[in-house]
Structures are given as structure tokens and as C-alpha cells.
Amino acid sequence: MSDKISTSALAKLRNIEAKQLFHDLKTAGYINRADETWVLTELGRKFGGEYLEHKKFGPFIVWPQNLLIDLTATSGKTFSATQIGQRFTLNAKKINQLLQELGWIAKKDNGWHITSSGLAVGGSQRQDKESGQHFVVWHDSIIRNKRLKQSVIEFSGQDAQAHATDKSLSSFRQKFEAKHRTLDGHYVRSLGELKIDNWLYMNGVIHAYDRQLPIEADVLSDFYLPTGKVYLQYWGKDNGEMSQQEQATVRAIYAQHNFDLIEVFPHEIDKLDDILPGRLKAFGIKAY
């Protein structure tokens, strides 16, 4: 049982109005508002926020009783794609493309729409009153978001080696070397991944390998399919299958962040023609 308390209980403990505490948490970027519901952000999780499930009222956010609300690093203002681009010396179009690749926004006929992952990093939906076009604005903490900064660096090719991801990922890459070369030039870690990568390439499915999930924690996905905004996880390795505990841990991360996931098991690796077309179709991806 968590010893953390609800926002209202925390306000009472601190002898302030709940409304003021909600305001401070939103200003600090710990929570976000969407459809009359408070959403816990990645920044809020970093400071100890989490969801608990109420039997009657559903999920709600709880906090450590000694929660630090850091208002010194933020103005609480929102940035447009243009303003974000000015910070990174990129135009608004490129910023929106990077935000889309991260899975934080989605392009529709009437403009850009926020996703659940985008809400978790401080995005808010807006609509132009005159044109009716939709767009997204971002809490100013987005400028410090390491996943966005990483994407900008990778896109621009600026000092990419020095800004490589966390040492834990570097150690992982060294321990599990990607030594199998695929038809499209990727280097993957297992024969099963090689078969999946080659199948995706030969069937015209755009994919990225070893893609960092767009979250604060350092977690790599096996494959990311940007057309359907879906990740593909292979539960095998050259020396056998991943343990049930390993699988459960990874699944929990995808579920926690509402990431769509396609799973492939070792016993299916020689049946990709039979299993993948249907699983891809569920996410709007067509294979040749």
C-alpha cells in the first residue's frame, strides 16, 4: 500500500487551498489537463507522482508527503512549435515532424492533434478560432526534455557522439553487440531480429531499429513502425527466449505509457508471412 497521498490531502497537510496546489502543480509541469481530467506528466513521475486506482472513481494521482514543487525552473508558459524551433534553430515544420516521430502529436486533416504520450510531456490541444485548424502548445519544460533534445541532436547530426544516450544504454549496447547485418543495412542483435527486419524491409514497411522510447526512462524498443505509431517487440534472443519476468516488465512499461505494441515470439519467427500482415493491419499498416 502506497504511503503517498492525494492532491487534496496534500493541500490539507500544507494548509493551502486544493485549487492553489493544483495550480502550482500545473505551473511546475507535474500535471496536465485534458478533457476535464488531470494527467500525470513524466516530470511529475520524476518527482514521485503516481496513479492509484479507486474502486469507485477510477485512477487518481498521489504524491509523496514531502513533495518538492520546483517553480524556479519554469514560468508555466506554453511554447508553440515555432518558439521551440527558435530554441533549437529549426523551423516549426521540422519540430512538428520530430514531435510526430516521437509519437507526441498526430497529423490529421484539420491540423496537429495531441496524443496521450504528448499529454504526458506537457502538450495541450488548441484550435485557431478563425481557420478552425488544430495545433498543440507545450509547457516550457519541453525545452529541457531529454528525448526531444536527443531527437534534435540525432536529426541535426550535431555532436551526436558526445550526446549519446545514458551510460546504461551504452553498456547494454556493448554487452549485447549488434553484429547481424540486415538487407537494409541495420545491425541487429539476434537472428530473430534479423528475420523480422528483413521481412519488414522486403514488405515495404518503414521501421526503425533499437529506438529509444519517448519517455524519461532509458528503454529501447526492438522496432518502431512510424506509419502506425506502433512498437514491435521480439521476445527472443540467440540463446533462448526472454524470461516471463523480463517480458512482464517490458509489457508494463508499454502499458503504463499507452504505447501500442505488436509482439512476436520465437516459435513464430519462421511464420512471419502468416502472422505479421494481420497484426500490422490492425494499426493501419499495409505490407506488400
Side-chain angles (χ1 to χ4, degrees):
M1 185 69 179
S2 174
D3 58 355
K4 298 178 181 181
I5 59 177
S6 68
T7 308
S8 298
L10 184 60
K12 186 176 181 180
L13 180 66
R14 298 189 176 191
N15 198 28
I16 61 174
E17 293 289 333
K19 183 178 180 180
Q20 180 62 48
L21 183 55
F22 275 105
H23 176 270
D24 290 346
L25 291 169
K26 187 176 187 300
T27 299
Y30 295 5
I31 57 175
N32 200 1
R33 191 72 168 169
D35 298 326
E36 304 302 317
T37 302
W38 288 110
V39 177
L40 178 64
T41 66
E42 286 290 317
L43 188 58
R45 290 184 186 275
K46 187 176 181 179
F47 279 85
E50 61 180 270
Y51 285 108
L52 283 186
E53 187 76 22
H54 191 283
K55 291 183 179 180
K56 183 176 181 181
F57 301 107
F60 65 102
I61 303 170
V62 293
W63 308 95
Q65 295 185 35
N66 63 346
L67 174 68
L68 170 65
I69 303 176
D70 185 7
L71 295 172
T72 62
T74 177
S75 66
K77 295 181 180 179
T78 56
F79 287 171
S80 66
T82 298
Q83 291 170 313
I84 295 173
Q86 290 170 350
R87 299 297 185 99
F88 293 115
T89 320
L90 292 173
N91 61 40
K93 180 179 180 180
K94 290 292 189 295
I95 290 296
N96 278 326
Q97 288 175 334
L98 289 175
L99 294 170
Q100 180 185 39
E101 199 278 333
L102 285 165
W104 294 347
I105 57 175
K107 182 74 171 184
K108 297 184 180 181
D109 291 339
N110 61 350
W112 292 105
H113 288 251
I114 192 73
T115 66
S116 59
S117 297
L119 287 170
V121 292
S124 298
Q125 190 70 58
R126 297 286 188 272
Q127 183 177 18
D128 186 279
K129 293 182 179 179
E130 294 184 5
S131 67
Q133 284 291 298
H134 288 70
F135 62 99
V136 178
V137 296
W138 304 88
H139 186 273
D140 64 10
S141 60
I142 196 71
I143 299 301
R144 305 187 302 277
N145 185 284
K146 68 179 182 180
R147 293 304 161 223
L148 177 58
K149 291 166 68 176
Q150 178 185 338
S151 289
V152 170
I153 289 167
E154 290 175 349
F155 172 78
S156 303
Q158 299 175 353
D159 202 14
Q161 187 63 35
H163 288 82
T165 51
D166 176 273
K167 289 183 179 179
S168 62
L169 292 185
S170 298
S171 298
F172 173 83
R173 288 186 168 114
Q174 290 174 6
K175 184 177 180 181
F176 302 98
E177 182 184 359
K179 58 186 177 181
H180 303 285
R181 191 176 191 278
T182 67
L183 290 173
D184 60 356
H186 288 145
Y187 282 86
V188 299
R189 293 188 179 82
S190 70
L191 291 175
E193 289 176 338
L194 179 141
K195 291 182 179 181
I196 293 171
D197 195 294
N198 285 343
W199 191 96
L200 294 171
Y201 175 66
M202 294 298 290
N203 284 274
V205 179
I206 299 172
H207 59 283
Y209 175 73
D210 218 15
R211 184 61 172 155
Q212 165 67 49
L213 293 183
I215 58 177
E216 185 71 18
D218 290 303
V219 181
L220 296 174
S221 65
D222 287 345
F223 297 92
Y224 175 57
L225 314 181
T227 303
K229 299 294 183 294
V230 60
Y231 296 91
L232 189 154
Q233 177 70 41
Y234 172 57
W235 295 119
K237 42 194 176 184
D238 281 350
N239 62 349
E241 187 170 352
M242 292 177 65
S243 69
Q244 293 295 320
Q245 183 177 355
E246 288 177 311
Q247 293 181 31
T249 299
V250 175
R251 283 195 190 97
I253 293 172
Y254 282 95
Q256 177 183 338
H257 296 279
N258 297 312
F259 294 145
D260 289 325
L261 178 64
I262 293 172
E263 301 176 78
V264 177
F265 294 87
H267 69 272
E268 299 175 318
I269 205 64
D270 292 321
K271 305 174 184 177
L272 297 179
D273 284 332
D274 298 324
I275 66 167
L276 277 183
R279 293 177 191 178
L280 295 172
K281 186 178 180 180
F283 296 97
I285 302 175
K286 294 181 179 180
Y288 294 148

